[in-house]
Amino acid sequence: MNANIGAPTADIAALLANYSLPKPLGFGVELAPIMFRADYRDGAWEAGQLVPFAPIAINPAATCVQFGQQCFEGMKAYRVAQNEPHLFRPESNYARFGRSAARLSMPAPTPELFGKAISQLCGAFQKFVPGDSGQSLYLRPTLLGLDHTFAVKASETYCFLLLASPSDAYYGKPISIMVEREHSRAAMGGTGAEKVGGNYAGSLLATRKSIDAGFDQPLWLDAASHTVIEELSGMNFMAVIDGALHTPSLSGTILPGVTRDSLLKLAASMGLKTVERTMLIADLLTDVKSGACSELFACGTAAIISPIAAIGEADGNRLSLPKENPVTTKLKTALLDIQEGRAEHAFSWTAKASDEQALINRLKS
Ligand SMILES: Cc1ncc(COP(=O)(O)O)c(C=O)c1O
């Protein structure tokens, strides 16, 4: 274990001594028996520490409960070549966590606190980070407003938690998506570009509608005109059109995904043309019909890439995509090879999870 980490407290050591990974693990189902917690009060973050995983006491009138004053992140530690867990572009998740916190008028954890939480948890839990290709320790930094008040105002006390879930590869079958023409996920000036709980709550009814219509998930359009493609509820959207990789530009209403950005950079490095643009849904459907659009997929940390097999409407009408998806497959393999440390590459995207100081330096960069 890295010298920076410090020995886990007796409670934590005893908990881990008695812990074993269930089989099968599933994705995001099993919760690690430890978590990191730090509280914010009187204008400063306390040092924080690893604690046993347990439900926490929250005042039912707290701002996180009543007003959704909370945000979170989703990132993974991969056990690279069977050795120590490595993170993928953690500075991007930290920066986004900071933007989400700021958008809801919350204090973000400092780089020192965030780095300490991740390195301590990954260090203590290291031997339980599953090591088969595709498996990972899914990490969920979470920030909650704790003050109780029925007046709409920002809390002055907060709780930062780092939760973890040892996970199998996310084996989703290709998904089908329904163009959502009634509801909106996000509007300009709202919180669509941040990772805050309310965005997800607001997407659930449309998910239900899409399932009732025979699809898996809605595809969101812009709130103003309902003509421009945005993203899925928890993944960004990409299309292979005439051999090039197209994706909606970051309009301010979609989440700037780390996977999206990585795939764009990776695709360009592989000689694939990449296009970030305003994508009209009408044009896309025409391109799918004509065959100009040969592949659609969604991308995000959990699944990396989910191929899209069909796209359709609330009345059940759908267009199918070809079964072969060579570009999607090539990109997914190339990205996972980097994340799991198999591939030589020009990006400095991976970082040892347990090296606290190096991680903090990275988060500050
Ligand atoms: C709404 C939304 N879009 C896109 C993404 C993909 O982001 P990332 O690649 O950083 O996981 C996520 C997942 O975090 C998401 O919740």
Side-chain angles (χ1 to χ4, degrees):
M1 192 183 292
N2 186 292
N4 291 330
I5 292 168
T9 60
D11 258 10
I12 299 294
L15 257 175
L16 293 175
N18 291 319
Y19 181 72
S20 58
L21 290 174
K23 276 197 179 127
L25 275 172
F27 185 89
V29 184
E30 170 70 4
L31 286 168
I34 58 172
M35 63 184 183
F36 186 96
R37 175 174 184 159
D39 284 60
Y40 179 94
R41 58 175 70 86
D42 301 327
W45 284 104
E46 66 177 23
Q49 61 178 337
L50 288 178
V51 293
F53 176 86
I56 59 168
I58 292 186
N59 189 310
T63 62
C64 67
V65 177
Q66 297 294 327
F67 306 128
Q69 200 191 16
Q70 68 87 253
C71 65
F72 63 99
E73 266 306 317
M75 48 203 290
K76 281 177 176 171
Y78 299 85
R79 198 200 270 253
V80 171
Q82 297 308 309
N83 292 319
E84 284 192 71
H86 278 57
L87 303 160
F88 183 70
R89 305 184 74 184
E91 62 283 359
S92 303
N93 294 95
Y94 177 67
R96 192 169 66 190
F97 197 46
R99 292 195 301 273
S100 300
R103 180 65 181 78
L104 298 193
S105 196
M106 302 195 281
T110 60
E112 287 79 7
L113 178 58
F114 195 86
K116 175 173 151 184
I118 294 206
S119 64
Q120 286 202 355
L121 194 147
C122 290
F125 202 62
Q126 178 167 322
K127 72 172 185 194
F128 302 108
V129 178
D132 289 348
S133 181
Q135 293 183 318
S136 64
L137 183 64
Y138 182 79
L139 297 165
R140 174 56 65 91
T142 304
L143 183 58
L144 304 171
L146 295 185
D147 281 0
H148 58 279
T149 169
F150 287 145
V152 182
K153 66 185 181 80
S155 178
E156 288 178 10
T157 61
Y158 293 90
C159 168
F160 165 55
L161 298 170
L162 177 64
L163 312 175
S165 172
S167 290
D168 277 330
Y170 186 105
Y171 282 123
K173 59 175 181 29
I175 56 173
S176 61
I177 56 173
M178 186 191 94
V179 182
E180 173 54 56
R181 296 188 184 268
E182 184 192 359
H183 294 167
S184 303
R185 175 187 170 273
M188 203 58 93
T191 57
E194 285 83 34
K195 206 160 164 64
V196 304
N199 292 346
Y200 299 86
S203 74
L204 298 177
L205 184 57
T207 304
R208 166 72 61 84
K209 271 181 16 190
S210 70
I211 292 169
D212 289 348
F215 298 87
D216 296 306
Q217 294 189 34
L219 173 66
W220 296 101
L221 304 179
D222 73 295
S225 69
H226 275 126
T227 58
V228 181
I229 298 173
E230 298 215 314
E231 60 173 329
L232 280 74
S233 302
M235 286 187 273
N236 292 119
F237 178 81
M238 294 202 171
V240 179
I241 302 173
D242 293 329
L245 187 63
H246 292 245
T247 196
S249 23
L250 296 177
S251 56
T253 54
I254 70 176
L255 195 81
V258 180
T259 318
R260 171 190 180 281
D261 184 70
S262 306
L263 288 172
L264 285 173
K265 293 193 163 85
L266 191 57
S269 79
M270 292 160 75
L272 201 66
K273 184 174 172 206
T274 61
V275 188
E276 291 177 76
R277 64 174 172 93
T278 301
M279 292 181 72
L280 296 176
I281 184 65
D283 291 350
L284 181 84
L285 295 175
T286 304
D287 286 345
V288 172
K289 265 186 215 147
S290 73
C293 174
S294 52
E295 300 175 45
L296 292 178
F297 64 86
C299 63
T301 297
I304 307 177
I305 285 182
S306 286
I308 295 171
I311 179 167
E313 304 287 340
D315 63 8
N317 274 325
R318 59 176 64 208
L319 298 170
S320 294
L321 276 294
K323 286 213 167 26
E324 294 73 37
N325 40 24
V327 178
T328 307
T329 308
K330 197 166 147 190
L331 285 172
K332 181 169 183 177
T333 304
L335 186 55
L336 193 61
D337 280 349
I338 292 179
Q339 290 170 326
E340 294 183 343
R342 281 185 296 275
E344 291 289 318
H345 59 93
F347 309 103
S348 44
W349 278 348
T350 55
K352 214 189 230 185
S354 60
D355 189 339
E356 184 173 327
Q357 195 51 55
L359 181 55
I360 292 170
N361 293 344
R362 229 184 136 112
L363 300 181
K364 285 179 171 170
S365 65

